[in-house]
Amino acid sequence: MTSEDAAWHGVIHEILDQSHLWRPEDLAGVVDGAAARLGLTATIYLIDHEQRFLRPLDVPGRKLPEPLAADGTTGGEAFTRVESIPAGDRVWSPMVNGTDRLGVIDYTLPAGADHEFIRQCELVAGLVGHLITTTRPRGDGLRLAQRSQPMTPGAELLWQLLPPLTVSVRDFAVSAVLEPSYDVGGDAYDYVVDDRRPQFVVLDAAGRRLRAGLAAAVVLSSIRASRRAGGDLLEQARAADAELLAQFSDARFATAVLAELDLGTGVLRYVNAGHPPPLVMRDGKIVETLTAGRRMPLGIPDPQATYGEVTLHPGDRLVLYTDGVSEARNAAGEQFGTRRLAELAERHSTDDLPLSEGLRRLAHAVLAHQDGPPSDDLTLLLVEWSAGAALRTLPPSSRENAEAG
């Protein structure tokens, strides 16, 4: 082991040792102090809930930098492309938890830092991404660092229930976005990537604010309990029907799409409970709108419900969304519409960007279309069945190792 290798080992050792007992507010200072072993300074930036600004964590004794825009800055480029970006005597390294983008670390480099040195910076950024995720539940500090405004109780409830925005496995990737981040009520999403039959859910509970969030929580919990007990998609939907009827006396309902992809055969089975129909993309084009598998919204039992089925090809994308996307209106009253959604989804599918970045840009286009704050929640979920999509969500060093393995 070279002296430089030993120094990097010491950095990682120090961060891990202190992570067991640190408070959330200690994290940035510990990482910077450990990095000083190699003549580095390290500033951690977390992406905010809107995915518009990277917000710095405080390092004791150092002036807190201003937030960085995710668009049009070097740090933002590192975040959006999930790549380390050198800039003079600095390098910006992406920070992920698995494949979920959390932010970046801004390193000031010592003289003579080479490509391998930057790869090690990236490795530490990956470690810090994991530690942020395990540290966040200890207090409010890291959550507050990602916020530009207070959250409503409904939004607080839902964000605690949702899985990460992005996850990838070897042959597919899934990414979601949910707006308005601080006032979301009834929209939600879910997925599991177990075995070779991943499942995906997008739902929209009727109403707004906390009551809608409570209904969404009931639906998510019912689906998960049924799924984990071995229930198929129709049984999961019936479980949600029963719990909505049991927990609410006001005919509370939710629209939803529940889908399962067999990665061995390519068959996608789905149930559409009164929800906008999903779209299938192939070679950058919308090739099918999934109109089968219809049943009544969840909360209204429908014993005649059946599955819809379609066969996907490797490389295909599945687009699921709520009506807050298609029905978003501008000042003239014009809806965003499925045609515009399809056109933008097609455009971003050809940009060779991580799935999560194409989705971020698509969501911001919907928000930009609207006249003022959103009048309804909007949720988008993209699934791409390809190893390339999974690799594009990884930082370069991890991507190289995955390709070699």
Side-chain angles (χ1 to χ4, degrees), residues 151-160 180-185 209-210:
M151 276 192 180
T152 63
E156 290 281 6
L157 171 68
L158 276 180
W159 281 114
Q160 297 303 310
S181 304
Y182 302 98
D183 191 25
V184 67
R209 299 288 178 98
L210 185 56

Side-chain angles (χ1 to χ4, degrees), residues 7 21 23 49 54 60 68 74 115 119 123 128 151 172 225 252 265 286-287 328 338 390:
L21 298 177
R23 295 179 176 86
H49 283 283
L54 291 154
L68 290 171
T74 306
H115 175 71
R119 282 172 58 97
L123 176 66
V128 174
M151 276 192 180
F172 78 92
R252 183 72 47 170
T265 65
I286 301 293
V287 296
T338 53

Side-chain angles (χ1 to χ4, degrees), residues 253-326:
F253 67 90
T255 69
V257 171
L258 295 79
E260 179 181 78
L261 176 60
D262 186 328
L263 293 170
T265 65
V267 172
L268 179 82
R269 302 183 85 187
Y270 62 95
V271 175
N272 188 329
H275 202 76
L279 308 173
V280 175
M281 299 181 65
R282 184 170 299 140
D283 299 324
K285 300 293 182 183
I286 301 293
V287 296
E288 193 157 1
T289 300
L290 303 184
T291 57
R294 306 291 298 192
R295 56 148 284 165
M296 298 297 288
L298 303 177
I300 306 174
D302 188 348
Q304 305 304 316
T306 59
Y307 289 107
E309 281 194 3
V310 65
T311 300
L312 302 186
H313 300 174
D316 283 357
R317 284 187 175 186
L318 178 68
V319 184
L320 300 103
Y321 59 97
T322 59
D323 61 8
V325 175
S326 54

Side-chain angles (χ1 to χ4, degrees), residues 381-403:
L381 186 143
L382 293 185
V383 181
E384 183 171 336
W385 180 19
S386 78
L391 291 172
R392 285 194 297 274
T393 62
L394 297 175
S397 57
S398 300
R399 194 180 310 161
E400 292 168 11
N401 291 334
E403 288 173 327

Side-chain angles (χ1 to χ4, degrees), residues 94 118 130 218 225 234 252 345 358 365 371:
I118 291 173
H130 287 292
V218 167
L234 288 172
R252 183 72 47 170
D371 180 34

Side-chain angles (χ1 to χ4, degrees), residues 11 19 89 100 165 187 288 351:
V11 169
S19 71
D89 65 346
D100 189 31
L165 291 175
D187 275 19
E288 193 157 1
D351 290 341

